Amino acid sequence: MADKLLLIDGHSIMSRAFYGIPELTNSQGLHTNAVYGFLNILFKVLDEEQADHLAVAFDVHEPTFRHKMFDGYKGTRKPMPEELHEQIPVIKEVLTAMHIPILSKGGYEADDLLGTVAKRAQAKGVEVTIVSGDRDLLQLSDEKIKICLPKTAKGVTTVYNYYPEDVKNEWNVTPLEFIDLKALMGDTSDNIPGVAGLGPKSAEWIIDRYHTIEAAHEAALSGDPEFKVPRKPKAAQMLISEWEAAKLSKVLATINIDSPIDFEYDDAKVEGMFNEESFEIIKKLELKSLIKRFDVTALDLSQKESIDLSKIKCVTDPYMARIAFKDAASQGAAGFAVVRKEEITESESGQLEMMLLDPDESVEKASGKGDENETAELFFALSGDRFYRFSGFDWREELKELSLKEGVALYTMNLKSQLYECEFSPDSNVYDLSLAAYVVNPLKDTYTYEDIARDFMSETLPSEKELRDRFKAEKKAVNGGKSLAASGTAEFSVEETMGAYTAIVSCDAAESLMKKLSELEETELYKEIEMPLVYTLYNMQTAGILIDKNALLDFGVELRAGIEELQKRIYEEAGEEFNINSPKQLGEILFGKLGLKGGKKTKSGYSTAADVLEKLAEDHKIVADILNYRTLSKLNSTYAEGLLGYIGKDGRIHGEFNQMVTATGRISSTNPNLQNIPIRTELGRRFRKVFVPKEGCVFIDADYSQVELRILASMSGDPKLIEAYRDAKDIHAVTASQVFHIPLSEVTPQQRRNAKAVNFGIVYGISAFGLSEGLSISRNEAKEYIERYFMTYPDVKRYLDSQVDFARENGYIRTFFGRRRPVPDINASNFMRRSFSERVAMNSPIQGTAADIMKKAMNDVDRALREGGFKSRIVVQVHDELLIEAPLEEKDEVKALLIEKMQNAAKLAVLLVADASEGYNWDEAH
């Protein structure tokens, strides 16, 4: 097999990646999207080409020989965005660490170096692949030189390959003729003049007939009667009069394939790319999806780990544990982590295999509940490298006593999951550092011991994936199923190793992290709202919500019957059977066979997206049936069948409520997502009917009335908006009256609906385009609505503008309770990213404040129920809504308590209003 050389156009691919990949930053605020995209393209092509040699070329920031020939060369180019500029040295650092040669030469462009190296390699019989986003390189295409032009859209990269025949097929010129084509038509991106007045069509005709500009020029001079460019009778004269510009343009467009670049082919051999140095850089950049390319078991990374687990002392004597707890009390702080002693298999981490074996058991595990007789180990860390592992005895009560001692602080991570093993009091001095790291920076994906060690201790520790990879490798070599994660006498499983790291990092990073919270003025938010919420959510999860399984099964049968009936009708209407779930086959049936108008053709076929089909549904029965088929199929798979797997032995669903996911601070729901149960359609609402209170109980459902608009009124201080709420008026009707300048009594339902859309749209920074789409009105009408709104409520406009200005100056926004949300792209050069950040700056203070109010209300309600001795419990939270399961004898008192706590969760310039109702299923109560 012949050698193969892969050459990458560095700046070109970095630029493509930068604009094709959404904004990414690591925890230090360094932009990484271009680096990430570049490496993905590099690895993708390297895998596909199976190249054994590799080099990357970069331009040097100084004039080239072309600039000396023509001052205006590339003079129209905009400066590189700062967010991209900062990533150039980073990618060079990565490439150097991976032993990939970097080609650069003062006075020459990367294209010249690529062309020179490619032609040298070709002369030696080497196959060459050049990857660039620049079409100029098509002139290098040859039998042994392939040009790859990648295009990235929505994070997905497609690579188009060009050999000479491919260039000819697409451009109707040979690779060398491509130079002459550009010499005639010029290039605005490089500011190559070309021949004034000649466009692409004329240039293509000339090159197709004469092949070179020299031959065309000679024909023009000789008066060749065949020189008659269609619709350009003066083309020959243009070429004659602009001949000097044409010659200059050809030189500027020609890649120099004899540049004086020092390049040793053997130095470009692909080997040792995924080494310790490059691994550490990728980890520092937090490009986690790229870490999978590293064989961490083959890298001797354990020697670099600053935490030595061999120092952990295994304690099986309760007396020795008491001594450690006493030391913690004297010291005032300690880190800990609780780990189940049972061996945890790899399949358990994914849940899928467990759910197939025993759905009930999987739910118990997912909710954190296991065998009551199951023991757990405690990893306990004190300063001064004093690490302990307590095993074989019950340490829980003494740990709880320690947590309540004045002057003692215990730190851990993901406290909620550990409460299943050790139920601390909400009044204990236990602090969740994962939660603290989330409050400090809510834009990150994870808040593990690895992340916190890196961000607050400047230490690199192996991730869970790395530990599991090591475990697999060692398991092959050593029988017994234990991972030798630490030297010495201590043997740990993966879970135990993670527990040890969690305890130690919790101890060592606590001071730094708590100090950061204080610097950001978020300590009160963390301690008064977020920490109590850990216990509130734990209580909700352990309570769970009862589901009528038989009703769910019956509804599933009904849905599947409806799906089968729709499927038969669709086949009859189409005249044949096909895969309705295949967009490609569906598109061919609707827009190919049936010839429906309005189809949007894409590279993969016709688009059958919902927005396309909805416009056709009214006029075409088959389209309406397809949309109904999709609706029923979604309801069946997600809810009728999907919810069954989450029902525990107690008949209840114990879902997870997460407080470290959203950037705004809102709570999210998973396993299953109870916040996403449909309510907009009658069919969807039937799923809420299968959620029922236990016997002798009733559901009480309360939600805030227009909480975000009330927050906007309060935070903006707009007197008209505040007055409308204080007078308890219909805010949407009042807005319509003010905006359309009509008496309140004359506001029509349609005007009220339009005003409502504007009211809520303003909270989310809606544009005229967005409002026009939502109301099905022209963009000018929508723009006028928004302008009238701001004329009516001028302080709202001033407030929103002030939030954008604040974010531009400070790089973040704040909620009423002091929660920060970074807005890293508020000053970005990219218009789309900057515009998105401006909307974030306007709406996040409002949405975040609403989230904070709901969290505080939940804490207040949960505490009041417990301290009051009530049996009632919160079972579900959905954005502005709380659902409580209450015994019938408590319902009136609990309903009053619920409303009182929700309405007094914050003191705003306008009243918070909560409405409550009751029922014997979730739908009835809402």
Side-chain angles (χ1 to χ4, degrees):
M1 181 177 176
D3 283 356
K4 183 174 284 189
L5 171 63
L6 175 62
L7 297 171
I8 308 285
D9 185 350
H11 276 109
S12 173
I13 298 304
M14 282 290 283
S15 181
R16 289 270 171 179
F18 176 76
Y19 289 108
I21 301 290
E23 179 263 334
L24 288 175
T25 59
N26 69 356
S27 57
Q28 306 304 312
L30 175 69
H31 286 83
T32 58
N33 59 321
V35 173
Y36 173 71
F38 179 99
L39 291 174
N40 268 334
I41 292 172
L42 185 151
F43 295 147
K44 177 182 174 71
V45 179
L46 190 61
D47 290 343
E48 292 174 350
E49 297 296 316
Q50 292 294 297
D52 43 31
H53 290 73
L54 169 66
V56 180
F58 283 94
D59 294 321
V60 176
H61 189 59
E62 63 178 74
T64 66
F65 69 89
R66 293 181 180 84
H67 291 92
K68 294 175 182 177
M69 295 175 61
F70 178 49
D71 286 343
Y73 181 63
K74 292 190 175 179
T76 55
R77 289 216 173 165
K78 294 180 180 179
M80 182 183 296
E82 182 57 36
E83 301 93 332
L84 172 57
H85 188 268
E86 72 180 33
Q87 297 182 65
I88 299 300
V90 177
I91 192 61
K92 289 182 178 179
E93 181 185 11
V94 174
L95 295 173
T96 300
M98 288 184 165
H99 310 310
I100 299 172
I102 294 175
L103 309 176
S104 58
K105 180 74 175 178
Y108 294 85
E109 294 182 57
D111 290 1
D112 300 318
L113 309 183
L114 293 169
T116 299
V117 170
K119 291 298 182 181
R120 287 183 195 173
Q122 182 189 31
K124 294 180 179 180
V126 175
E127 292 185 18
V128 182
T129 297
I130 302 177
V131 182
S132 175
D134 189 349
R135 293 181 314 196
D136 293 349
L137 281 119
L138 292 175
Q139 65 186 267
L140 299 175
S141 176
D142 210 331
E143 293 307 318
K144 282 187 173 291
I145 300 178
K146 177 170 65 175
I147 310 300
C148 296
L149 299 181
K151 296 181 181 179
T152 303
K154 297 182 179 179
V156 178
T157 298
T158 305
V159 178
Y160 298 88
N161 299 319
Y162 293 88
Y163 280 110
E165 60 270 25
D166 302 305
V167 178
K168 182 71 174 177
N169 288 338
E170 184 164 335
W171 296 92
N172 201 34
V173 293
T174 67
L176 287 178
E177 289 172 352
F178 195 85
I179 303 172
D180 295 84
L181 181 67
K182 190 170 181 178
L184 291 179
M185 64 184 188
D187 186 341
T188 55
S189 65
D190 287 341
N191 201 30
I192 294 176
V195 174
L198 283 183
K201 293 293 184 183
S202 300
E204 287 173 17
W205 185 91
I206 292 172
I207 298 304
D208 181 57
R209 184 170 185 83
Y210 296 105
H211 307 294
T212 68
I213 62 169
E214 288 81 9
H217 181 246
E218 186 175 333
L221 287 174
S222 64
D224 181 357
E226 298 299 319
F227 200 128
K228 296 178 180 178
V229 179
R231 294 187 297 277
K232 283 287 182 181
K234 296 184 179 179
Q237 186 57 44
M238 290 177 183
L239 182 58
I240 294 171
S241 62
E242 296 287 333
W243 177 237
E244 291 302 317
K247 287 194 299 180
L248 173 64
S249 296
K250 184 169 182 176
V251 175
L252 294 175
T254 302
I255 292 174
N256 185 324
I257 58 173
D258 193 24
S259 304
I261 179 69
D262 294 328
F263 174 74
E264 294 295 332
Y265 183 69
D266 290 341
D267 292 341
K269 187 170 180 60
V270 176
E271 55 186 2
M273 290 173 59
F274 303 107
N275 56 63
E276 294 177 28
E277 185 181 0
S278 58
F279 177 81
E280 293 300 332
I281 296 173
I282 295 298
K283 284 195 71 173
K284 182 177 70 175
L285 296 174
E286 301 168 30
L287 303 177
K288 295 183 179 180
S289 65
L290 299 181
I291 289 177
K292 63 187 177 184
R293 290 186 171 269
F294 291 81
D295 181 2
V296 295
T297 61
L299 303 178
D300 187 19
L301 300 171
S302 59
Q303 300 301 315
K304 294 190 173 184
E305 292 164 17
S306 59
I307 295 177
D308 184 0
L309 298 190
S310 66
K311 293 181 179 181
I312 291 181
K313 185 175 182 179
C314 295
V315 176
T316 58
D317 181 356
Y319 175 74
M320 294 301 295
R322 288 200 265 310
I323 292 176
F325 288 155
K326 187 175 181 181
D327 288 344
S330 299
Q331 182 177 295
F336 75 91
V338 180
V339 179
R340 286 193 191 137
K341 193 174 182 180
E342 63 178 2
E343 181 78 14
I344 301 178
T345 64
E346 291 173 44
S347 63
E348 183 177 325
S349 65
Q351 299 287 325
L352 176 60
E353 193 171 319
M354 282 173 31
M355 290 183 71
L356 293 174
L357 294 173
D358 187 343
D360 289 332
E361 181 183 350
S362 72
V363 172
E364 295 297 323
K365 296 290 186 184
S367 66
K369 287 188 171 181
D371 186 344
E372 290 181 1
N373 296 319
E374 178 182 277
T375 59
E377 294 181 331
L378 174 69
F379 286 86
F380 198 69
L382 301 171
S383 63
D385 288 353
R386 289 176 291 168
F387 312 143
Y388 302 92
R389 171 191 183 185
F390 301 150
S391 181
F393 61 94
D394 193 348
W395 37 261
R396 292 173 178 81
E397 291 307 315
E398 293 195 48
L399 182 64
K400 289 185 207 175
E401 288 178 16
L402 179 64
S403 73
L404 292 168
K405 285 189 176 179
E406 188 175 348
V408 176
L410 299 182
Y411 300 98
T412 189
M413 299 177 199
N414 295 306
L415 172 62
K416 178 154 62 74
S417 65
Q418 299 187 63
L419 291 176
Y420 290 97
E421 292 298 336
C422 186
E423 284 197 348
F424 294 98
S425 163
D427 297 319
S428 65
N429 300 311
V430 178
Y431 300 101
D432 187 332
L433 292 192
S434 294
L435 186 54
Y438 163 75
V439 172
V440 167
N441 183 2
L443 301 187
K444 289 167 60 66
D445 294 327
T446 57
Y447 304 90
T448 65
Y449 66 83
E450 175 200 8
D451 300 315
I452 292 173
R454 180 193 61 240
D455 298 344
F456 298 97
M457 295 167 57
S458 299
E459 299 286 359
T460 300
L461 292 177
S463 66
E464 178 180 355
K465 181 184 182 302
E466 293 165 51
L467 291 176
R468 293 199 183 282
D469 287 346
R470 289 187 200 176
F471 175 80
K472 289 177 185 177
E474 291 170 3
K475 194 173 181 181
K476 290 179 182 178
V478 181
N479 291 326
K482 284 289 187 177
S483 172
L484 304 178
S487 58
T489 60
E491 266 188 4
F492 299 122
S493 68
V494 171
E495 285 70 26
E496 289 167 339
T497 304
M498 292 166 60
Y501 281 137
T502 296
I504 295 167
V505 172
S506 294
C507 177
D508 293 348
E511 183 178 357
S512 174
L513 192 40
M514 291 299 163
K515 182 180 179 182
K516 188 65 175 178
L517 278 174
S518 179
E519 290 173 356
L520 298 180
E521 299 179 336
E522 292 185 293
T523 301
E524 184 176 355
L525 169 76
Y526 171 70
K527 290 187 175 181
E528 300 300 323
I529 294 181
E530 293 292 357
M531 276 305 307
L533 188 67
V534 173
Y535 298 91
T536 301
L537 297 182
Y538 167 74
N539 293 334
M540 287 171 57
Q541 291 180 189
T542 54
I545 184 169
L546 187 65
I547 195 163
D548 186 338
K549 188 173 182 178
N550 290 330
L552 183 62
L553 289 170
D554 290 343
F555 193 22
V557 170
E558 184 181 331
L559 284 172
R560 287 187 288 277
I563 291 168
E564 290 176 8
E565 178 61 29
L566 282 167
Q567 187 180 56
K568 290 177 184 177
R569 286 217 305 260
I570 291 167
Y571 289 161
E572 289 173 2
E573 290 158 352
E576 65 176 275
E577 293 189 5
F578 64 99
N579 185 354
I580 304 172
N581 298 314
S582 166
K584 184 175 179 61
Q585 291 185 36
L586 180 59
E588 288 300 327
I589 290 291
L590 295 179
F591 305 111
K593 179 180 178 179
L594 300 181
L596 302 190
K597 303 301 181 184
K600 295 180 181 178
K601 193 75 179 281
T602 65
K603 290 178 182 176
S604 58
Y606 290 100
S607 171
T608 57
D611 61 330
V612 174
L613 298 188
E614 283 166 0
K615 293 175 182 177
L616 303 172
E618 188 175 339
D619 298 323
H620 303 281
K621 179 95 169 39
I622 186 174
V623 178
D625 285 342
I626 287 166
L627 289 173
N628 286 333
Y629 172 88
R630 286 182 176 179
T631 298
L632 295 191
S633 298
K634 172 72 173 176
L635 291 173
N636 181 57
S637 62
T638 305
Y639 303 110
E641 295 177 356
L643 291 175
L644 284 172
Y646 292 102
I647 301 175
K649 291 177 181 178
D650 58 358
R652 303 174 77 90
I653 287 179
H654 298 270
E656 295 180 45
F657 291 90
N658 313 298
Q659 63 187 120
M660 294 184 285
V661 174
T662 67
T664 59
R666 272 189 166 183
I667 298 165
S668 70
S669 172
T670 52
N671 297 323
N673 185 351
L674 294 174
Q675 295 180 337
N676 205 34
I677 305 298
I679 59 171
R680 294 187 181 277
T681 64
E682 177 58 35
L683 199 60
R685 283 199 302 274
R686 285 185 59 184
F687 280 107
R688 283 203 167 198
K689 295 180 188 294
V690 304
F691 291 89
V692 295
K694 65 184 179 182
E695 188 176 351
C697 292
V698 67
F699 277 153
I700 301 172
D701 188 289
D703 63 354
Y704 280 115
S705 171
Q706 302 171 354
V707 63
E708 291 182 344
L709 284 177
R710 292 173 187 273
I711 291 168
L712 175 62
S714 182
M715 295 181 77
S716 69
D718 190 276
K720 285 187 179 179
L721 206 49
I722 291 172
E723 180 185 2
Y725 275 116
R726 285 180 176 170
D727 292 344
K729 293 179 179 177
D730 179 339
I731 190 63
H732 303 312
V734 169
T735 297
S737 171
Q738 298 275 3
V739 167
F740 299 118
H741 305 297
I742 55 177
L744 188 61
S745 59
E746 295 179 14
V747 172
T748 67
Q750 183 61 50
Q751 288 171 328
R752 185 186 181 278
R753 281 194 293 272
N754 289 353
K756 181 178 180 179
V758 177
N759 272 330
F760 286 116
I762 293 298
V763 173
Y764 289 88
I766 198 168
S767 65
F769 173 76
L771 185 61
S772 68
E773 290 285 298
L775 294 179
S776 298
I777 59 177
S778 72
R779 201 175 302 185
N780 284 336
E781 284 181 283
K783 183 180 178 183
E784 185 180 355
Y785 280 6
I786 293 173
E787 289 174 349
R788 284 184 177 183
Y789 178 93
F790 285 136
M791 289 175 63
T792 302
Y793 304 121
D795 285 335
V796 170
K797 173 66 171 170
R798 279 191 284 271
Y799 167 74
L800 295 175
D801 289 343
S802 73
Q803 293 305 295
V804 174
D805 292 340
F806 180 88
R808 284 201 183 107
E809 184 176 345
N810 298 281
Y812 67 89
I813 55 85
R814 275 188 180 279
T815 69
F816 180 80
F817 289 90
R819 182 185 303 277
R820 286 190 181 211
R821 175 177 177 173
V823 193
D825 272 358
I826 191 68
N827 294 309
S829 55
N830 181 278
F831 174 78
M832 296 298 291
R833 293 177 184 166
R834 188 174 66 252
S835 297
F836 172 77
S837 294
E838 288 170 355
R839 290 194 296 275
V840 166
M842 287 187 277
N843 64 47
S844 277
I846 300 165
Q847 293 178 50
T849 298
D852 292 341
I853 287 173
M854 175 51 81
K855 286 179 174 180
K856 188 171 184 303
M858 291 171 67
N859 291 336
D860 293 344
V861 170
D862 184 68
R863 181 176 286 266
L865 291 176
R866 292 178 181 279
E867 291 181 349
F870 293 97
K871 294 180 181 178
S872 300
R873 293 291 179 264
I874 303 172
V875 291
V876 173
Q877 183 271 339
V878 182
H879 307 316
D880 302 331
E881 173 190 1
L882 280 183
L883 185 68
I884 287 182
E885 183 181 63
L888 289 171
E889 64 272 16
E890 294 181 0
K891 70 180 182 67
D892 292 336
E893 194 174 353
V894 167
K895 183 188 288 188
L897 180 151
L898 178 59
I899 293 173
E900 189 268 328
K901 293 301 180 185
M902 289 181 69
Q903 293 190 161
N904 289 284
K907 300 299 180 185
L908 302 178
V910 298
L911 291 176
L912 285 172
V913 175
D915 301 313
S917 55
E918 59 192 69
Y920 288 95
N921 62 60
W922 190 0
D923 182 62
E924 185 180 295
H926 184 65

